[in-house]
Amino acid sequence: MDIKVLGPGCPKCKQTEKVVMDALSDAGVAANVEKVTDVMQIAGYGVFGTPAVVIDGEVKSVGKIPKKEEVVKWISGK
């Protein structure tokens, strides 16, 4: 599983990364988590609001900090 947290490094982006890491830990799922800070790379996902979360190439969240429960659902496929 490939997860990207998109954002320039703002506090909300850092919080989103923490939520994703906590969700992975809770779900017991291994994943490659990458933080993407390059604006052009972020725009390449069609995302113009941050933070955003992309899982296996699919944009799951834009412009908000997702709840841990949401991320667990995304990564566990439920």
Side-chain angles (χ1 to χ4, degrees), residues 19-35:
V19 167
V20 168
M21 298 306 285
D22 288 348
L24 286 169
S25 177
D26 284 2
V29 174
N32 177 34
V33 179
E34 179 184 353
K35 189 167 180 186

Side-chain angles (χ1 to χ4, degrees), residues 2-78:
D2 186 44
I3 301 176
K4 295 185 183 341
V5 177
L6 313 180
C10 63
K12 286 184 177 181
C13 302
K14 292 176 183 171
Q15 182 64 31
T16 298
E17 185 177 20
K18 183 180 181 322
V19 167
V20 168
M21 298 306 285
D22 288 348
L24 286 169
S25 177
D26 284 2
V29 174
N32 177 34
V33 179
E34 179 184 353
K35 189 167 180 186
V36 177
T37 58
D38 180 77
V39 174
M40 294 307 293
Q41 211 175 345
I42 293 170
Y45 286 95
V47 171
F48 296 98
T50 59
V53 177
V54 178
I55 299 177
D56 290 336
E58 183 179 345
V59 177
K60 294 290 192 179
S61 171
V62 177
K64 67 172 189 165
I65 301 170
K67 293 181 178 165
K68 185 167 67 175
E69 294 78 19
E70 290 178 294
V71 179
V72 169
K73 285 181 185 175
W74 299 335
I75 61 178
S76 63
K78 295 178 183 174

